[in-house]
Amino acid sequence: VPVFLFVAAPYIRRYVAGGRCKSTARLEGKVVIVTGANTGIGKETARDLARRGKVIIACRDTAKAEAAASEIRAETGNQEVIVKKLDLADTKSIREFAEKFLAEEKELHILINNAGVMLCPYSKTADGFEMQLGVNHLGHFLLTFLLLERLKQCAPARIVNVSSLAHHGGRIRFHDLHGEKSYNRGLAYCHSKLANVLFTRELARRLQGKFQRQAGLTANALHPGSVYSELVRHSFVMSWLWKIFSFFLKTPYEGAQTSIYCAVAEELESVTGQYFSDCQPAYVSPRGRDDETAKKLWNVSCELLGIQWD
């Protein structure tokens, strides 16, 4: 068995690594925002895109973000890797980020909603939202809303939402969105990832029509794969399992490939409302294809955030 594993190891790793983004598209004169880019797949996404154009690293922990940005600048030679503070668990911070960004930057071509929390103990955001739904869905929903006009002005542009295969285990519990009646940290994560898929679907639907045909603002979601990263830090069991089975998990570099693909691949220029994994279209759960739930989630999200987004 050890001999077999030794021989098979390269093939296993190649299979685990999954698809690679082969696009060499340049992003000169273009601006990209990547949320949560101080670690994991967000950092690797920012590193790749910094070889192509200007990147804004939007993070809650600016010290970690500055360290990541410094490393990326040194490696890529691109000095246009800029850190801006963004706490997705606080709508005030989201609004401040958007206000400063719009005042300081006149362009925005790619928005990658990458940041996320996973398996955290029950807690609420500054606005009283259940933490996983609040950060993973509502925070990015508001951020996208605030930046949408700038994306339209700079179109062709792309919105990329990092979801997960975990969306298959999710459902939108409108009767208990914030887990006050019952809370399971694993299921709450699944629910938030389903919300990402439904948001992407409804956003793409709303963007279609005359504007979509002429200008090309697209929205797509993706599953990065099972990645060895800090995302499982809230679960001792998952952290332990991740270490044991790390050989069978993607590296952050491998996990970032589908995000990069959705952001730059030329063949996706007019593709919208889709879900990808390993740089190719992937199966979406029946709940993730429910247009009525998507519309209701959109309306409820607007109510919770106090915005009108028609």
Side-chain angles (χ1 to χ4, degrees):
V1 173
V3 174
F4 167 75
L5 286 175
F6 180 77
V7 173
Y11 301 98
I12 294 171
R13 275 303 313 154
R14 200 172 304 156
Y15 174 78
V16 169
R20 295 284 174 97
C21 177
K22 297 175 182 175
S23 172
T24 57
R26 303 292 303 166
L27 298 174
E28 278 95 352
K30 296 192 175 183
V31 179
V32 183
I33 291 175
V34 187
T35 68
N38 62 337
T39 186
I41 65 172
K43 181 179 176 182
E44 293 305 320
T45 301
R47 191 194 308 273
D48 179 282
L49 298 179
R51 295 191 177 97
R52 306 169 190 256
K54 183 172 182 175
V55 177
I56 309 292
I57 291 178
C59 293
R60 178 176 57 86
D61 189 330
T62 52
K64 281 187 179 179
E66 286 291 358
S70 179
E71 180 187 317
I72 292 169
R73 286 187 212 109
E75 186 176 317
T76 63
N78 180 4
Q79 297 308 303
E80 289 195 306
V81 180
I82 299 164
V83 171
K84 293 185 186 290
K85 183 174 177 61
L86 170 66
D87 183 355
L88 288 158
D90 185 347
T91 58
K92 184 182 176 185
S93 172
I94 299 168
R95 289 181 180 279
E96 286 175 353
F97 168 86
E99 189 178 329
K100 287 181 181 177
F101 174 84
L102 294 172
E104 295 169 4
E105 304 286 342
K106 300 308 175 192
E107 307 276 323
L108 178 59
H109 302 86
I110 301 168
L111 171 61
I112 302 180
N113 291 320
N114 163 84
V117 291
M118 179 182 182
L119 303 175
C120 51
Y122 187 75
S123 59
K124 288 187 174 182
T125 68
D127 301 272
F129 309 141
E130 184 275 312
M131 187 62 71
Q132 295 188 80
L133 184 75
V135 171
N136 299 351
H137 167 60
L138 291 168
H140 282 128
F141 187 97
L142 178 59
L143 179 67
T144 305
F145 167 75
L146 295 170
L147 298 177
L148 193 70
E149 287 306 312
R150 183 58 49 86
L151 284 160
K152 284 183 179 180
Q153 291 164 11
C154 299
R158 304 186 190 191
I159 297 164
V160 179
N161 294 325
V162 179
S163 180
S164 169
L165 184 70
H167 86 270
H168 285 270
R171 59 184 300 185
I172 306 302
R173 303 169 71 247
F174 290 108
H175 67 287
D176 188 25
L177 265 185
H178 304 297
E180 292 166 328
K181 296 175 184 175
S182 66
Y183 179 76
N184 176 292
R185 64 169 96 179
L187 288 177
Y189 178 72
C190 295
H191 303 334
S192 72
K193 293 290 106 179
L194 173 60
N196 293 153
V197 172
L198 291 169
F199 168 45
T200 304
R201 186 177 184 88
E202 180 64 8
L203 176 59
R205 186 188 72 79
R206 286 167 178 260
L207 290 174
Q208 282 180 317
K210 185 178 180 181
F211 173 78
Q212 172 65 26
R213 287 195 299 272
Q214 290 180 349
L217 173 55
T218 64
N220 291 298
L222 66 102
H223 167 54
S226 297
V227 182
Y228 188 66
S229 72
E230 294 179 13
L231 196 58
V232 296
R233 64 186 178 277
H234 292 294
S235 170
F236 172 77
V237 173
M238 287 292 284
S239 298
W240 182 69
L241 289 171
W242 247 227
K243 285 178 182 175
I244 291 175
F245 295 105
S246 60
F247 183 77
F248 299 98
L249 298 171
K250 288 186 178 186
T251 63
Y253 168 80
E254 293 161 351
Q257 294 304 304
T258 307
S259 295
I260 298 162
Y261 173 75
C262 288
V264 302
E266 295 89 342
E267 62 268 31
L268 299 187
E269 191 171 332
S270 60
V271 174
T272 191
Q274 300 301 305
Y275 172 74
F276 295 86
S277 179
D278 283 326
C279 301
Q280 59 188 8
Y283 179 74
V284 177
S285 74
R287 287 194 180 109
R289 288 179 270 124
D290 187 329
D291 289 332
E292 288 308 308
T293 302
K295 290 173 188 174
K296 186 175 179 181
L297 177 64
W298 183 283
N299 293 331
V300 170
S301 298
C302 286
E303 287 174 23
L304 289 169
L305 293 164
I307 60 175
Q308 282 191 308
W309 190 353
D310 299 319

